């Protein structure tokens, strides 16, 4: 459900456009009929659960049901749990590797936007396929390709004399393997959004730069990249938020009973295990709140740093 | 400033020499090489999936990869239905996707219209509450959603898997934006003609946002078909899991051969991939504009 974060910033800025003498009571009871079905579901399945999770995080669940108020005990246990820092570290490694795809996507999007380029829509489809595909389905192929004994990746590495590791069962390598798949699957999305941003750059600027004798690489550095920074910023924010919620690929590539899982888990897997495997719902709630706060802080930090590198357009 | 740029642009058009044109050629070559190699790498896992799904188990497990299996093992696709609960899981995937997509289209269009076009007390407060969900990662409501579904006795049922996904703050936001962008005149004209709000909505306004509804449909289908965490949590019985969850629990299984797993995973993801290839422009533009990830 990470799509949500993207949409939010745009929501605020748009005032309701209304003209003419539309009276306050003009629509009578109609709005209730229109809004109520959605609102009931949103309250029952989203707003109330959000409130409840905050409450859960201050309670301990009994083995035989029932819960007792335990103050900040869950949070104290969380900050003292080495697994929390481990899963946070893995999540950060994953995020960092997936972010390497952003500069790559800028370059690829610029190439894709070459005026008059043939097969452009064919390339677009190829790069977008991994983003559309079911993560658990592609995870199974990747798992086979990563296989230590007969995976094609290690065969390719052996051609250049590198002995490949057991990717998905070796602590340390497993999260890297998952990150590679994460990069592969999100590259197309970044590219498409960046390509849309590139289209908005006025062509006159390129003509002017060309007339001034700027080389293609100089035009890329001095025209394309600076004018694209707002889009790059959006892509980075979105990528970080979704990377922080890594679960599907990790779960499906490694498998929950993989011996390397305890050292490779992400924050959301850590949450999943506490809440739905170990039945520590109170503790799991505190992890969920921690994920929420961490994503909030990282996003806030990015908006602060934005002034340093994002062009005002 | 802008006129200077225009003059310069005009000048460039006139002074484009053969030299600049020939400098363009190598750039296209570079673009084709990079995008071609990159595109191949992006598509390779799918090609490999196809090849492996048509190989024998020993070919899959050979150290030197088998790039072409010789005799194509089509029976792997039949084995999927015998060795895995593929058919019931496909049924679950189709059912939950259809229900959620229809529900989201109806509920989000109705609410989006009211939030964009009607006046009522508390509108901004309610809209703010709905949109606030967008700021919260899904883990924050997951535990409690599970408890609600459990109390309703809906664990391991279609209603349980489907319930929270019937309602979407994102979809409401999308449809509200669509309705905000429409001019007021049509609505006013219909009102003067004596149409009531329901008639205005169904006959005048909804037909105008059809393309936005298709964006909502595409994003909902994708989300519903591919989603893992929620179905995995509420549906623990293999026969009642959608394909995404069913395949995920296969990982690390030693009882099913790799070629069969490859055939199953390919068939599971094929419907969305084929739909995407048929509707490519619409899907890409829709996702790029909605910012879904």
């Amino acid at each position: 459900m990470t799509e949500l974060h993207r949409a939010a910033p745009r929501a605020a800025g748009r005032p309701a456009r209304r003209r003419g003498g539309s009276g306050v009571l003009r629509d009578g009871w109609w709005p209730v009929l229109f809004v109520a079905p959605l609102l009931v579901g949103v309250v029952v399945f989203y707003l109330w659960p959000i409130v409840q999770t905050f409450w859960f995080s201050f309670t301990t669940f009994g083995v035989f049901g029932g819960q007792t108020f335990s103050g900040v005990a869950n949070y104290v246990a969380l900050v003292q749990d080495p697994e929390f820092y481990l899963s946070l570290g893995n999540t950060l490694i994953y995020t960092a590797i997936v972010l390497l795809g952003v500069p790559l996507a800028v370059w690829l999007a610029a190439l894709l936007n070459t005026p008059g380029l043939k097969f452009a829509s064919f390339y677009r489809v190829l790069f977008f396929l991994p983003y559309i595909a079911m993560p658990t389905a592609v995870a199974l192929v990747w798992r086979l390709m990563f296989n230590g004994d007969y995976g094609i990746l290690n065969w390719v590495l052996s051609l250049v004399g590198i002995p490949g590791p057991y990717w998905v069962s070796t602590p340390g390598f497993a999260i890297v393997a998952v990150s590679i798949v994460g990069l592969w699957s999100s590259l197309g999305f970044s590219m498409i959004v960046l390509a849309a941003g590139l289209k908005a750059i006025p062509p006159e600027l390129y003509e002017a730069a060309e007339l001034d004798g700027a080389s293609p690489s100089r035009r890329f550095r001095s025209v394309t990249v600076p004018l694209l920074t707002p889009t790059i910023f959006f892509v980075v924010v979105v990528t970080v938020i979704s990377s922080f919620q890594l679960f599907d690929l990790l779960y499906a590539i490694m498998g929950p009973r993989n011996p390397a899982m305890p050292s490779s888990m992400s924050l959301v897997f850590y949450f999943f295990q506490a809440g739905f495997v170990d039945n520590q719902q109170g503790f799991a709630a505190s992890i969920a709140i921690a994920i929420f706060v961490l994503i909030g802080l990282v996003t806030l930090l990015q908006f602060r740093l934005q002034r340093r590198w994002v062009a005002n357009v | 400033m802008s006129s200077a740029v225009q003059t310069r642009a005009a000048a460039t058009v006139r002074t484009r020499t053969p030299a600049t044109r020939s400098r363009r050629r190598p750039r296209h070559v570079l673009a084709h090489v990079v995008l071609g190699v990159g595109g191949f790498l992006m598509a390779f896992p799918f090609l490999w999936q196809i090849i492996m799904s048509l190989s024998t188990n020993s070919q899959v497990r050979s150290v030197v990869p088998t790039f072409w299996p010789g005799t194509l093992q089509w029976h792997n696709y039949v084995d999927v239905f015998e060795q895995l609960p593929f058919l019931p899981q496909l049924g679950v995937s189709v059912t939950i996707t259809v229900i959620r997509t229809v529900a989201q289209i109806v509920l989000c269009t109705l609410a989006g219209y009211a939030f964009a076009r009607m006046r009522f007390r508390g509108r901004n407060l309610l809209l703010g509450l709905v949109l606030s969900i967008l700021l919260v990662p899904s883990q924050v409501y997951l535990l409690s959603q599970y408890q609600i579904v459990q109390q309703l006795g809906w664990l391991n049922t279609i209603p349980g898997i489907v319930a929270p996904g019937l309602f979407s703050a994102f979809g409401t936001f999308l449809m509200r934006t669509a309705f905000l962008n429409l001019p007021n005149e049509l609505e006013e004209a219909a009102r003067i003609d004596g149409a009531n709000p329901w008639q205005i909505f169904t006959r005048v306004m909804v037909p105008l946002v059809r393309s936005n509804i298709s964006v909502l449909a595409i994003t909902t289908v994708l989300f519903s078909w591919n989603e893992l965490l929620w179905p995995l949590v509420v549906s623990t019985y293999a026969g009642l899991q959608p394909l995404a969850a069913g395949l995920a629990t296969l990982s690390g299984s030693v009882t099913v051969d790799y070629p069969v797993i490859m055939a199953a995973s390919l068939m599971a993801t094929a419907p969305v991939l084929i739909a995407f290839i048929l509707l490519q422009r619409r899907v890409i533009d829709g996702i790029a504009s909605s910012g879904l990830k």
Side-chain angles (χ1 to χ4, degrees), chain B residues 101-120:
Chain B
T101 307
V102 171
Q104 282 202 18
I105 289 174
V106 172
L107 298 178
C108 296
T109 308
L110 278 171
Y113 177 73
F115 281 129
R117 292 275 171 176
M118 290 178 162
R119 289 235 157 152
F120 52 96

Side-chain angles (χ1 to χ4, degrees), chain B residues 116-290:
Chain B
R117 292 275 171 176
M118 290 178 162
R119 289 235 157 152
F120 52 96
R121 218 173 291 155
R123 183 182 72 179
N124 291 342
L125 174 74
L126 292 176
L127 180 65
L129 277 175
V130 172
L131 296 184
S132 70
I133 301 167
L134 300 175
L135 300 170
V136 180
S138 67
Q139 295 82 37
V140 175
Y141 36 80
L142 204 72
L143 284 162
S144 174
Q145 283 178 342
Y146 176 82
Q147 286 211 337
I148 291 166
V149 165
Q150 190 180 31
Q151 279 155 14
L152 291 167
W154 286 355
L155 291 181
N156 286 308
T157 67
I158 296 283
I161 305 174
V162 148
L166 300 177
F167 314 97
S168 167
F170 172 73
T172 308
F173 168 75
L174 209 66
M175 293 318 297
R176 175 178 172 267
T177 313
F179 285 116
L180 277 179
N181 288 332
L182 295 178
N184 279 358
E185 284 72 18
L186 291 165
E187 221 174 356
E188 308 279 339
R191 188 166 295 122
I192 289 162
D193 288 348
N196 67 34
W198 178 253
Q199 289 164 329
I200 296 172
F201 173 71
T202 52
R203 305 223 184 117
V204 182
M205 302 307 271
V206 168
L208 294 173
V209 293
R210 246 184 273 149
S211 67
N212 306 81
I213 291 177
S214 79
V215 171
L216 176 61
I218 287 165
T219 56
T220 311
V221 167
L222 262 186
F223 150 75
S224 186
W225 193 264
N226 293 341
E227 189 199 21
L228 173 63
L229 186 49
W230 173 252
L232 192 67
V233 160
V234 287
S235 187
T236 45
Y237 173 60
L240 271 165
Q241 283 178 335
L243 287 166
L247 287 175
T249 41
L250 260 187
S251 191
S253 148
V254 282
T255 50
V256 185
D257 286 344
Y258 250 126
V260 178
I261 294 181
M262 288 301 105
S265 57
L266 193 66
M267 283 196 284
T269 195
V272 283
L273 291 184
I274 291 169
F276 164 59
I277 289 167
L278 294 177
L279 302 166
Q280 36 173 298
R281 262 245 91 81
R282 191 157 263 220
V283 175
I284 291 176
D285 292 350
I287 288 173
S289 68
S290 73

Side-chain angles (χ1 to χ4, degrees), chain A residues 1-8 10-11 14 16-19 22-24 26-27 30-31 34-35 37-39 41-42 44-47 49-50 52-53 56 61 107-108 111-112 114-119 121 123-138 140-145 149-150 152 155 184 186-187 189 192 204 207-208 210-212 216 219 238-239 242 245 247-248 251-255 268 271-272 275-276 281 284-285 288 291-292, chain B residues 5 8 12 16 27-28 31-32 34-36 38-39 41-46 48-49 52 60-65 67 107 110-111 113-115 117-120 123 126 129-148 163-164 167 170 172-173 176-177 180-181 184-185 191 197-198 201 222-223 225-226 228-229 232-233 244 247-248 251-252 258 261-262 265 268-269 272-273 276 280-281 283-284 287-293:
Chain A
M1 293 302 300
T2 32
E3 76 245 35
L4 311 177
H5 303 282
R6 268 122 258 199
R10 271 182 283 160
R14 201 180 272 279
R17 262 201 299 142
R18 288 219 136 258
R19 271 177 285 147
S22 33
V24 177
R26 186 195 68 195
D27 297 311
W30 284 102
F34 276 67
V35 171
L38 178 97
L39 220 53
V42 160
V44 171
F45 286 106
Y46 294 91
L47 292 175
I50 290 170
Q52 240 191 340
T53 300
F56 283 176
F61 280 67
W107 188 47
L108 291 168
L111 289 176
L112 194 68
T114 312
L117 184 77
K118 280 184 181 157
F119 312 120
S121 59
Y123 294 133
R124 217 192 317 270
V125 167
L126 286 185
F127 280 90
F128 213 59
L129 273 179
Y131 175 75
I132 297 289
M134 179 189 287
T136 53
V138 295
L140 292 168
V141 202
W142 277 99
R143 189 184 157 85
L144 176 61
M145 296 200 297
D149 294 317
Y150 47 84
I152 190 163
W155 178 75
W184 171 79
S186 67
L187 191 64
F189 173 81
I192 296 307
E204 295 86 23
E207 305 282 3
E210 199 174 346
L211 197 71
D212 289 344
R219 288 198 296 261
V238 157
T239 305
S242 67
Q245 300 186 59
F247 178 81
D248 298 15
Y251 186 95
I253 292 174
M254 295 190 64
V268 176
F271 157 82
F272 166 79
F276 298 101
Q281 288 93 332
I291 294 172
F292 178 33
Chain B
V5 171
R8 275 181 177 187
T12 348
R16 181 161 290 155
R27 230 175 89 204
H28 277 246
H32 282 298
V34 173
L35 293 170
L41 289 176
M42 297 306 273
F44 182 77
F46 299 105
W48 199 239
Q49 199 173 16
M52 292 296 109
V60 170
R61 287 169 184 269
S62 68
V63 175
V64 176
F67 287 97
L107 298 178
L110 278 171
Y113 177 73
F115 281 129
R117 292 275 171 176
M118 290 178 162
R119 289 235 157 152
F120 52 96
R123 183 182 72 179
L126 292 176
L129 277 175
V130 172
L131 296 184
S132 70
I133 301 167
L134 300 175
L135 300 170
V136 180
S138 67
Q139 295 82 37
V140 175
Y141 36 80
L142 204 72
L143 284 162
S144 174
Q145 283 178 342
Y146 176 82
Q147 286 211 337
I148 291 166
F167 314 97
F170 172 73
T172 308
F173 168 75
R176 175 178 172 267
T177 313
L180 277 179
N181 288 332
N184 279 358
E185 284 72 18
R191 188 166 295 122
W198 178 253
F201 173 71
L222 262 186
F223 150 75
W225 193 264
N226 293 341
L228 173 63
L229 186 49
L232 192 67
V233 160
L247 287 175
S251 191
Y258 250 126
I261 294 181
M262 288 301 105
S265 57
T269 195
V272 283
L273 291 184
F276 164 59
Q280 36 173 298
R281 262 245 91 81
V283 175
I284 291 176
I287 288 173
S289 68
S290 73
L292 171 130
K293 186 156 187 185

